[in-house]
Amino acid sequence: MAATGRLIAVEGGEGAGKSTQAARLAATLGAELSREPGGTPLGEEVRRLLLDPAFAPLGDRTELMLMLAARAEHLAERIEPALAAGRSVVVDRFQGSTLAYQGYGRGLPLEEVRLACRLAAGGREADLNVLIDVPVDIGTSRRTAAPDRIEAADGGFHERVRQGFLAEAVGDPARWLVVDGSAPPDQVADAIAAGVRSRLDLGTARLS
Ligand code: Z5A
């Protein structure tokens, strides 16, 4: 295990398989598993409000600020203490989702979203962002429940989100790993393990 914990974010659109793969990666690494929005009692309450269709339409800046309030608490209460104690954290969504959804998707100015993210996170960024990429129609076809407030946005929104994730990954290849999420789950897990192994020094025995 590395002396300092690492923060790995698993990112992607709806139905990409993030929750499935984040849990598998955390188990493989012996890392803590968490999610955003959420991860703390306050964050889970904010998540409930954010996803509730009863609050549609919600202002784009309101949505951004609620996402970031949940993140600030998540970092203070869980992520920073874990990293400081040498424990790695795998988080199901993080800053990449804010850029993709509130920036590219909702259309808030990207530089403002980046600035707000830095403020909320005290500059903390994921050491590695794993983007599980799937076409929007494949992700939507995996839906098993009624759409929440954000899932209910139109297909154009979700396509902008997908292209936004890909643009972020292309723009910062050292911090992003892109895997094909339309492959079977075991194949996706193998691609993620191999990519994480090649990018981060995380006790490679656990990933072999
Ligand atoms: N959001 C935001 O706007 N801004 C932010 O800053 C943050 C978040 C942090 C809630 O997130 C919303 O918050 C999200 C973005 C927004 N809204 N949207 N859309 P969430 O984590 O709940 O997101 P989600 O995309 O709605 O989760 P999801 O639909 O549950 O998808 P997933 O986690 O990517 O997939 P999964 O649960 O692992 O799998 C879904 C189904 O597909 C399940 O039946 C699996 O068995 C199946 N599956 C998984 N992998 C495969 C493969 N490889 N093949 C076939 N089937 C598969």
mmCIF file of all heavy atoms in Angstrom, residues 57-95:
data_model
loop_
_atom_site.group_PDB
_atom_site.id
_atom_site.type_symbol
_atom_site.label_atom_id
_atom_site.label_comp_id
_atom_site.label_asym_id
_atom_site.label_seq_id
_atom_site.Cartn_x
_atom_site.Cartn_y
_atom_site.Cartn_z
ATOM 1 N N PRO A 57 -38.309 22.479 -12.299
ATOM 2 C CA PRO A 57 -36.934 22.738 -12.691
ATOM 3 C C PRO A 57 -36.162 23.404 -11.545
ATOM 4 O O PRO A 57 -36.733 24.192 -10.791
ATOM 5 C CB PRO A 57 -37.075 23.706 -13.862
ATOM 6 C CG PRO A 57 -38.336 24.463 -13.563
ATOM 7 C CD PRO A 57 -39.233 23.513 -12.817
ATOM 8 N N LEU A 58 -34.897 23.069 -11.446
ATOM 9 C CA LEU A 58 -34.016 23.649 -10.427
ATOM 10 C C LEU A 58 -33.014 24.549 -11.155
ATOM 11 O O LEU A 58 -32.543 24.193 -12.240
ATOM 12 C CB LEU A 58 -33.277 22.508 -9.719
ATOM 13 C CG LEU A 58 -32.486 22.838 -8.459
ATOM 14 C CD1 LEU A 58 -33.444 23.248 -7.326
ATOM 15 C CD2 LEU A 58 -31.675 21.618 -8.010
ATOM 16 N N GLY A 59 -32.673 25.683 -10.567
ATOM 17 C CA GLY A 59 -31.703 26.573 -11.206
ATOM 18 C C GLY A 59 -30.361 25.867 -11.380
ATOM 19 O O GLY A 59 -29.932 25.103 -10.510
ATOM 20 N N ASP A 60 -29.704 26.130 -12.504
ATOM 21 C CA ASP A 60 -28.420 25.463 -12.773
ATOM 22 C C ASP A 60 -27.370 25.799 -11.715
ATOM 23 O O ASP A 60 -26.572 24.943 -11.306
ATOM 24 C CB ASP A 60 -27.889 25.875 -14.149
ATOM 25 C CG ASP A 60 -28.788 25.395 -15.278
ATOM 26 O OD1 ASP A 60 -29.588 24.459 -15.048
ATOM 27 O OD2 ASP A 60 -28.683 25.955 -16.396
ATOM 28 N N ARG A 61 -27.373 27.041 -11.264
ATOM 29 C CA ARG A 61 -26.370 27.424 -10.250
ATOM 30 C C ARG A 61 -26.737 26.845 -8.883
ATOM 31 O O ARG A 61 -25.851 26.524 -8.089
ATOM 32 C CB ARG A 61 -26.220 28.947 -10.189
ATOM 33 C CG ARG A 61 -25.473 29.479 -11.402
ATOM 34 C CD ARG A 61 -25.460 31.004 -11.490
ATOM 35 N NE ARG A 61 -24.954 31.408 -12.797
ATOM 36 C CZ ARG A 61 -23.654 31.483 -13.113
ATOM 37 N NH1 ARG A 61 -22.736 31.251 -12.201
ATOM 38 N NH2 ARG A 61 -23.268 31.815 -14.330
ATOM 39 N N THR A 62 -28.033 26.704 -8.624
ATOM 40 C CA THR A 62 -28.468 26.049 -7.382
ATOM 41 C C THR A 62 -27.960 24.609 -7.382
ATOM 42 O O THR A 62 -27.413 24.117 -6.390
ATOM 43 C CB THR A 62 -30.008 26.046 -7.297
ATOM 44 O OG1 THR A 62 -30.484 27.354 -7.564
ATOM 45 C CG2 THR A 62 -30.482 25.557 -5.945
ATOM 46 N N GLU A 63 -28.147 23.935 -8.532
ATOM 47 C CA GLU A 63 -27.703 22.544 -8.669
ATOM 48 C C GLU A 63 -26.193 22.436 -8.425
ATOM 49 O O GLU A 63 -25.718 21.572 -7.679
ATOM 50 C CB GLU A 63 -28.067 22.045 -10.070
ATOM 51 C CG GLU A 63 -27.753 20.582 -10.309
ATOM 52 C CD GLU A 63 -28.223 20.162 -11.697
ATOM 53 O OE1 GLU A 63 -27.443 20.330 -12.674
ATOM 54 O OE2 GLU A 63 -29.340 19.658 -11.816
ATOM 55 N N LEU A 64 -25.442 23.358 -9.043
ATOM 56 C CA LEU A 64 -23.983 23.354 -8.873
ATOM 57 C C LEU A 64 -23.607 23.524 -7.399
ATOM 58 O O LEU A 64 -22.775 22.781 -6.861
ATOM 59 C CB LEU A 64 -23.367 24.481 -9.705
ATOM 60 C CG LEU A 64 -21.869 24.736 -9.498
ATOM 61 C CD1 LEU A 64 -21.035 23.549 -9.987
ATOM 62 C CD2 LEU A 64 -21.429 26.012 -10.218
ATOM 63 N N MET A 65 -24.216 24.503 -6.744
ATOM 64 C CA MET A 65 -23.840 24.794 -5.354
ATOM 65 C C MET A 65 -24.198 23.644 -4.415
ATOM 66 O O MET A 65 -23.459 23.356 -3.463
ATOM 67 C CB MET A 65 -24.510 26.094 -4.888
ATOM 68 C CG MET A 65 -23.954 27.321 -5.579
ATOM 69 S SD MET A 65 -22.164 27.458 -5.312
ATOM 70 C CE MET A 65 -21.684 28.445 -6.704
ATOM 71 N N LEU A 66 -25.318 22.985 -4.674
ATOM 72 C CA LEU A 66 -25.690 21.837 -3.825
ATOM 73 C C LEU A 66 -24.710 20.678 -4.029
ATOM 74 O O LEU A 66 -24.290 20.028 -3.060
ATOM 75 C CB LEU A 66 -27.127 21.407 -4.115
ATOM 76 C CG LEU A 66 -28.211 22.353 -3.591
ATOM 77 C CD1 LEU A 66 -29.583 21.946 -4.121
ATOM 78 C CD2 LEU A 66 -28.238 22.366 -2.061
ATOM 79 N N MET A 67 -24.330 20.425 -5.282
ATOM 80 C CA MET A 67 -23.333 19.366 -5.554
ATOM 81 C C MET A 67 -22.041 19.673 -4.781
ATOM 82 O O MET A 67 -21.429 18.778 -4.184
ATOM 83 C CB MET A 67 -22.988 19.302 -7.044
ATOM 84 C CG MET A 67 -24.083 18.826 -7.955
ATOM 85 S SD MET A 67 -24.422 17.073 -7.756
ATOM 86 C CE MET A 67 -25.844 16.908 -8.863
ATOM 87 N N LEU A 68 -21.643 20.941 -4.811
ATOM 88 C CA LEU A 68 -20.356 21.299 -4.208
ATOM 89 C C LEU A 68 -20.426 21.363 -2.690
ATOM 90 O O LEU A 68 -19.427 21.080 -2.010
ATOM 91 C CB LEU A 68 -19.850 22.610 -4.815
ATOM 92 C CG LEU A 68 -19.515 22.505 -6.308
ATOM 93 C CD1 LEU A 68 -18.968 23.824 -6.819
ATOM 94 C CD2 LEU A 68 -18.534 21.366 -6.586
ATOM 95 N N ALA A 69 -21.586 21.715 -2.148
ATOM 96 C CA ALA A 69 -21.736 21.679 -0.684
ATOM 97 C C ALA A 69 -21.572 20.237 -0.193
ATOM 98 O O ALA A 69 -20.881 19.971 0.806
ATOM 99 C CB ALA A 69 -23.101 22.236 -0.275
ATOM 100 N N ALA A 70 -22.199 19.314 -0.921
ATOM 101 C CA ALA A 70 -22.061 17.893 -0.549
ATOM 102 C C ALA A 70 -20.593 17.465 -0.646
ATOM 103 O O ALA A 70 -20.083 16.735 0.209
ATOM 104 C CB ALA A 70 -22.942 17.035 -1.452
ATOM 105 N N ARG A 71 -19.902 17.948 -1.701
ATOM 106 C CA ARG A 71 -18.482 17.558 -1.882
ATOM 107 C C ARG A 71 -17.605 18.115 -0.767
ATOM 108 O O ARG A 71 -16.717 17.415 -0.252
ATOM 109 C CB ARG A 71 -17.965 18.036 -3.239
ATOM 110 C CG ARG A 71 -16.467 17.684 -3.446
ATOM 111 C CD ARG A 71 -16.049 17.777 -4.874
ATOM 112 N NE ARG A 71 -17.018 17.057 -5.666
ATOM 113 C CZ ARG A 71 -17.402 17.401 -6.894
ATOM 114 N NH1 ARG A 71 -16.820 18.421 -7.499
ATOM 115 N NH2 ARG A 71 -18.320 16.705 -7.530
ATOM 116 N N ALA A 72 -17.818 19.369 -0.408
ATOM 117 C CA ALA A 72 -16.984 19.973 0.638
ATOM 118 C C ALA A 72 -17.089 19.173 1.932
ATOM 119 O O ALA A 72 -16.083 18.904 2.609
ATOM 120 C CB ALA A 72 -17.403 21.430 0.861
ATOM 121 N N GLU A 73 -18.308 18.760 2.265
ATOM 122 C CA GLU A 73 -18.501 17.978 3.491
ATOM 123 C C GLU A 73 -17.896 16.582 3.355
ATOM 124 O O GLU A 73 -17.298 16.049 4.301
ATOM 125 C CB GLU A 73 -20.002 17.905 3.817
ATOM 126 C CG GLU A 73 -20.321 17.279 5.162
ATOM 127 C CD GLU A 73 -19.654 18.000 6.336
ATOM 128 O OE1 GLU A 73 -19.290 19.182 6.202
ATOM 129 O OE2 GLU A 73 -19.469 17.340 7.382
ATOM 130 N N HIS A 74 -18.039 16.003 2.167
ATOM 131 C CA HIS A 74 -17.478 14.668 1.897
ATOM 132 C C HIS A 74 -15.960 14.672 2.086
ATOM 133 O O HIS A 74 -15.384 13.778 2.709
ATOM 134 C CB HIS A 74 -17.836 14.293 0.452
ATOM 135 C CG HIS A 74 -17.641 12.865 0.101
ATOM 136 N ND1 HIS A 74 -17.557 12.448 -1.200
ATOM 137 C CD2 HIS A 74 -17.498 11.745 0.865
ATOM 138 C CE1 HIS A 74 -17.378 11.139 -1.217
ATOM 139 N NE2 HIS A 74 -17.345 10.685 0.011
ATOM 140 N N LEU A 75 -15.330 15.718 1.548
ATOM 141 C CA LEU A 75 -13.875 15.828 1.687
ATOM 142 C C LEU A 75 -13.477 16.017 3.150
ATOM 143 O O LEU A 75 -12.550 15.359 3.638
ATOM 144 C CB LEU A 75 -13.354 16.990 0.837
ATOM 145 C CG LEU A 75 -13.233 16.651 -0.660
ATOM 146 C CD1 LEU A 75 -13.288 17.899 -1.519
ATOM 147 C CD2 LEU A 75 -11.944 15.866 -0.928
ATOM 148 N N ALA A 76 -14.178 16.912 3.833
ATOM 149 C CA ALA A 76 -13.791 17.230 5.212
ATOM 150 C C ALA A 76 -14.007 16.043 6.148
ATOM 151 O O ALA A 76 -13.175 15.739 7.008
ATOM 152 C CB ALA A 76 -14.602 18.430 5.706
ATOM 153 N N GLU A 77 -15.139 15.355 5.926
ATOM 154 C CA GLU A 77 -15.535 14.317 6.882
ATOM 155 C C GLU A 77 -14.902 12.961 6.576
ATOM 156 O O GLU A 77 -14.571 12.212 7.490
ATOM 157 C CB GLU A 77 -17.063 14.199 6.821
ATOM 158 C CG GLU A 77 -17.714 13.795 8.119
ATOM 159 C CD GLU A 77 -19.230 13.767 8.011
ATOM 160 O OE1 GLU A 77 -19.830 14.834 7.736
ATOM 161 O OE2 GLU A 77 -19.811 12.689 8.185
ATOM 162 N N ARG A 78 -14.745 12.634 5.285
ATOM 163 C CA ARG A 78 -14.313 11.278 4.933
ATOM 164 C C ARG A 78 -13.043 11.189 4.105
ATOM 165 O O ARG A 78 -12.136 10.413 4.414
ATOM 166 C CB ARG A 78 -15.434 10.577 4.140
ATOM 167 C CG ARG A 78 -16.529 10.093 5.037
ATOM 168 C CD ARG A 78 -17.393 9.071 4.356
ATOM 169 N NE ARG A 78 -16.703 7.857 3.943
ATOM 170 C CZ ARG A 78 -17.242 6.938 3.169
ATOM 171 N NH1 ARG A 78 -18.465 7.100 2.703
ATOM 172 N NH2 ARG A 78 -16.574 5.855 2.847
ATOM 173 N N ILE A 79 -13.006 11.956 3.004
ATOM 174 C CA ILE A 79 -11.926 11.702 2.042
ATOM 175 C C ILE A 79 -10.577 12.169 2.571
ATOM 176 O O ILE A 79 -9.603 11.395 2.575
ATOM 177 C CB ILE A 79 -12.246 12.361 0.676
ATOM 178 C CG1 ILE A 79 -13.501 11.723 0.072
ATOM 179 C CG2 ILE A 79 -11.052 12.231 -0.272
ATOM 180 C CD1 ILE A 79 -13.966 12.350 -1.239
ATOM 181 N N GLU A 80 -10.497 13.411 3.036
ATOM 182 C CA GLU A 80 -9.192 13.917 3.481
ATOM 183 C C GLU A 80 -8.658 13.116 4.680
ATOM 184 O O GLU A 80 -7.468 12.772 4.697
ATOM 185 C CB GLU A 80 -9.259 15.415 3.799
ATOM 186 C CG GLU A 80 -9.525 16.311 2.584
ATOM 187 C CD GLU A 80 -8.405 16.305 1.537
ATOM 188 O OE1 GLU A 80 -7.364 15.657 1.745
ATOM 189 O OE2 GLU A 80 -8.591 16.947 0.485
ATOM 190 N N PRO A 81 -9.490 12.779 5.672
ATOM 191 C CA PRO A 81 -8.956 11.960 6.775
ATOM 192 C C PRO A 81 -8.450 10.597 6.302
ATOM 193 O O PRO A 81 -7.418 10.112 6.778
ATOM 194 C CB PRO A 81 -10.157 11.814 7.729
ATOM 195 C CG PRO A 81 -11.008 13.020 7.447
ATOM 196 C CD PRO A 81 -10.861 13.271 5.967
ATOM 197 N N ALA A 82 -9.160 9.980 5.345
ATOM 198 C CA ALA A 82 -8.712 8.676 4.843
ATOM 199 C C ALA A 82 -7.372 8.808 4.128
ATOM 200 O O ALA A 82 -6.440 8.036 4.378
ATOM 201 C CB ALA A 82 -9.762 8.092 3.899
ATOM 202 N N LEU A 83 -7.263 9.791 3.238
ATOM 203 C CA LEU A 83 -6.010 9.958 2.487
ATOM 204 C C LEU A 83 -4.851 10.257 3.436
ATOM 205 O O LEU A 83 -3.750 9.713 3.286
ATOM 206 C CB LEU A 83 -6.149 11.083 1.453
ATOM 207 C CG LEU A 83 -7.214 10.885 0.362
ATOM 208 C CD1 LEU A 83 -7.232 12.090 -0.581
ATOM 209 C CD2 LEU A 83 -7.002 9.598 -0.421
ATOM 210 N N ALA A 84 -5.126 11.097 4.437
ATOM 211 C CA ALA A 84 -4.061 11.464 5.387
ATOM 212 C C ALA A 84 -3.591 10.256 6.195
ATOM 213 O O ALA A 84 -2.429 10.185 6.604
ATOM 214 C CB ALA A 84 -4.565 12.560 6.324
ATOM 215 N N ALA A 85 -4.503 9.310 6.395
ATOM 216 C CA ALA A 85 -4.142 8.097 7.152
ATOM 217 C C ALA A 85 -3.552 7.019 6.247
ATOM 218 O O ALA A 85 -3.304 5.891 6.691
ATOM 219 C CB ALA A 85 -5.379 7.562 7.878
ATOM 220 N N GLY A 86 -3.358 7.350 4.957
ATOM 221 C CA GLY A 86 -2.726 6.398 4.042
ATOM 222 C C GLY A 86 -3.699 5.443 3.376
ATOM 223 O O GLY A 86 -3.286 4.489 2.723
ATOM 224 N N ARG A 87 -5.017 5.710 3.523
ATOM 225 C CA ARG A 87 -6.003 4.833 2.901
ATOM 226 C C ARG A 87 -6.462 5.448 1.585
ATOM 227 O O ARG A 87 -6.779 6.640 1.525
ATOM 228 C CB ARG A 87 -7.218 4.632 3.821
ATOM 229 C CG ARG A 87 -6.875 3.933 5.132
ATOM 230 C CD ARG A 87 -8.147 3.499 5.855
ATOM 231 N NE ARG A 87 -9.031 4.608 6.165
ATOM 232 C CZ ARG A 87 -8.929 5.402 7.223
ATOM 233 N NH1 ARG A 87 -7.953 5.204 8.092
ATOM 234 N NH2 ARG A 87 -9.787 6.381 7.429
ATOM 235 N N SER A 88 -6.524 4.627 0.542
ATOM 236 C CA SER A 88 -7.013 5.116 -0.742
ATOM 237 C C SER A 88 -8.540 5.112 -0.748
ATOM 238 O O SER A 88 -9.177 4.360 -0.013
ATOM 239 C CB SER A 88 -6.468 4.259 -1.884
ATOM 240 O OG SER A 88 -5.066 4.469 -1.985
ATOM 241 N N VAL A 89 -9.103 5.977 -1.577
ATOM 242 C CA VAL A 89 -10.558 6.112 -1.681
ATOM 243 C C VAL A 89 -10.963 6.008 -3.145
ATOM 244 O O VAL A 89 -10.384 6.686 -4.001
ATOM 245 C CB VAL A 89 -11.040 7.478 -1.116
ATOM 246 C CG1 VAL A 89 -12.556 7.601 -1.236
ATOM 247 C CG2 VAL A 89 -10.599 7.662 0.336
ATOM 248 N N VAL A 90 -11.935 5.142 -3.412
ATOM 249 C CA VAL A 90 -12.547 5.082 -4.739
ATOM 250 C C VAL A 90 -13.912 5.750 -4.615
ATOM 251 O O VAL A 90 -14.738 5.351 -3.798
ATOM 252 C CB VAL A 90 -12.720 3.628 -5.217
ATOM 253 C CG1 VAL A 90 -13.491 3.584 -6.539
ATOM 254 C CG2 VAL A 90 -11.353 2.952 -5.373
ATOM 255 N N VAL A 91 -14.126 6.790 -5.415
ATOM 256 C CA VAL A 91 -15.374 7.524 -5.317
ATOM 257 C C VAL A 91 -16.145 7.423 -6.632
ATOM 258 O O VAL A 91 -15.578 7.589 -7.720
ATOM 259 C CB VAL A 91 -15.140 8.982 -4.854
ATOM 260 C CG1 VAL A 91 -14.317 9.771 -5.841
ATOM 261 C CG2 VAL A 91 -16.439 9.693 -4.568
ATOM 262 N N ASP A 92 -17.411 7.052 -6.498
ATOM 263 C CA ASP A 92 -18.333 6.908 -7.622
ATOM 264 C C ASP A 92 -18.835 8.324 -7.960
ATOM 265 O O ASP A 92 -19.729 8.819 -7.306
ATOM 266 C CB ASP A 92 -19.473 5.981 -7.146
ATOM 267 C CG ASP A 92 -20.510 5.659 -8.195
ATOM 268 O OD1 ASP A 92 -20.501 6.293 -9.265
ATOM 269 O OD2 ASP A 92 -21.354 4.788 -7.924
ATOM 270 N N ARG A 93 -18.167 8.977 -8.894
ATOM 271 C CA ARG A 93 -18.354 10.373 -9.332
ATOM 272 C C ARG A 93 -17.612 11.340 -8.423
ATOM 273 O O ARG A 93 -17.593 11.204 -7.205
ATOM 274 C CB ARG A 93 -19.825 10.800 -9.395
ATOM 275 C CG ARG A 93 -20.681 10.035 -10.415
ATOM 276 C CD ARG A 93 -22.001 10.730 -10.608
ATOM 277 N NE ARG A 93 -22.886 10.067 -11.546
ATOM 278 C CZ ARG A 93 -22.819 10.177 -12.861
ATOM 279 N NH1 ARG A 93 -21.881 10.924 -13.386
ATOM 280 N NH2 ARG A 93 -23.667 9.551 -13.643
ATOM 281 N N PHE A 94 -17.037 12.371 -9.073
ATOM 282 C CA PHE A 94 -16.342 13.448 -8.350
ATOM 283 C C PHE A 94 -16.338 14.674 -9.268
ATOM 284 O O PHE A 94 -17.326 14.929 -9.959
ATOM 285 C CB PHE A 94 -14.921 12.973 -7.948
ATOM 286 C CG PHE A 94 -14.232 13.811 -6.904
ATOM 287 C CD1 PHE A 94 -14.737 13.916 -5.614
ATOM 288 C CD2 PHE A 94 -13.061 14.502 -7.204
ATOM 289 C CE1 PHE A 94 -14.102 14.698 -4.645
ATOM 290 C CE2 PHE A 94 -12.407 15.273 -6.251
ATOM 291 C CZ PHE A 94 -12.931 15.368 -4.973
ATOM 292 N N GLN A 95 -15.241 15.395 -9.287
ATOM 293 C CA GLN A 95 -15.213 16.673 -10.018
ATOM 294 C C GLN A 95 -15.519 16.539 -11.512
ATOM 295 O O GLN A 95 -16.126 17.431 -12.111
ATOM 296 C CB GLN A 95 -13.843 17.331 -9.833
ATOM 297 C CG GLN A 95 -13.689 18.637 -10.614
ATOM 298 C CD GLN A 95 -12.404 19.346 -10.260
ATOM 299 O OE1 GLN A 95 -12.087 19.475 -9.080
ATOM 300 N NE2 GLN A 95 -11.677 19.789 -11.254
#
